Amino acid sequence: MDEELRSLTERLRQESQGTAAFDRLLATEDHGELAEVLTAAGQPLWARELAAFRLGTAGDPRAFETLVLLLNHRDPPRCVSAAHALARLRDPRTARAAAALATNELRVAYALQPVRLLVELRAPESVPALITTLERRLRPHDPYRRVALACVDGLGTLGDTRARRVLTEALAHPTLAEAAVQALARIPRQR
């Protein structure tokens, strides 16, 4: 059992109060049974999350919509688990969805995991979305420094020269300056 599944299992076992339904969803190898949980009425959130995670990490595209919803959930552990499963799902829609979530100003408080997922995916949408998100975080007194820092670190990891301008602007922000210096050092010089 990998660490992310172990963490998810412990959290959802408590949330489900260790019911027989939880044990059944954790043990089943029937992807059809797991997929039914995603669409059946009245299913608790813990059951949908467990089913989506298991399907997503197995590469079953039926998990996509539920995982995207969980990626933008107000509960950070759900976002982390969804990002983990989406990265393993390898659905071509994932990068577009993560970019839309990362750049949605109405949901910026929940953008940390979509930003991190974009870095992991290294998709064509990643750099433009991170640049847009970081530009918005460079306003005075912006409360989402963790999102800004994730963008700075991610742009350094991706090493795309298009990020040079926004990273240079980030140098003027004390909470981002050190990370921006390190990110800029990872981006090749243009000739």
Side-chain angles (χ1 to χ4, degrees):
M1 184 181 294
D2 77 353
E3 186 56 37
E4 192 56 44
L5 178 58
R6 185 181 348 276
S7 174
L8 175 94
T9 300
E10 290 172 11
R11 178 171 53 82
L12 296 184
R13 186 181 307 280
Q14 287 181 334
E15 198 173 313
S16 71
Q17 301 174 338
T19 63
F22 171 83
D23 291 332
R24 187 183 71 252
L25 286 177
L26 186 62
T28 188
E29 296 300 325
D30 182 354
H31 286 196
E33 180 181 352
L34 292 169
E36 284 178 30
V37 171
L38 300 180
T39 57
Q43 291 294 320
L45 183 57
W46 64 260
R48 292 184 194 282
E49 183 180 1
L50 181 57
F53 182 90
R54 295 211 44 229
L55 288 169
T57 55
D60 190 316
R62 293 177 286 185
F64 178 77
E65 287 83 8
T66 302
L67 290 171
V68 169
L69 290 172
L70 292 169
L71 180 63
N72 197 232
H73 197 274
R74 69 180 177 273
D75 185 13
R78 292 195 200 286
C79 301
V80 170
S81 295
H84 179 84
L86 281 165
R88 278 132 197 89
L89 180 58
R90 301 189 192 282
D91 189 297
R93 301 171 291 176
T94 300
R96 273 193 318 275
L101 294 174
T103 59
N104 183 343
E105 274 302 288
L106 298 176
R107 302 285 295 171
V108 70
Y110 311 110
L112 185 60
Q113 291 308 317
V115 164
R116 290 178 175 164
L117 178 58
L118 284 167
V119 175
E120 185 174 351
L121 294 174
R122 295 180 171 268
E125 297 88 346
S126 297
V127 172
L130 294 181
I131 288 172
T132 298
T133 303
L134 180 56
E135 285 171 340
R136 294 172 180 167
R137 306 285 60 84
L138 296 180
R139 292 183 284 232
H141 311 294
D142 184 83
Y144 304 108
R145 286 292 170 221
R146 290 184 65 209
V147 173
L149 190 56
C151 288
V152 169
D153 290 339
L155 288 168
T157 297
L158 295 172
D160 191 299
T161 58
R162 294 175 291 176
R164 187 169 293 287
R165 180 193 51 78
V166 73
L167 290 172
T168 300
E169 291 174 21
L171 292 171
H173 297 265
T175 58
L176 301 175
E178 184 178 331
V181 166
Q182 293 173 6
L184 283 164
R186 298 170 75 184
I187 294 177
R189 293 265 177 217
Q190 292 177 320
R191 295 179 185 192

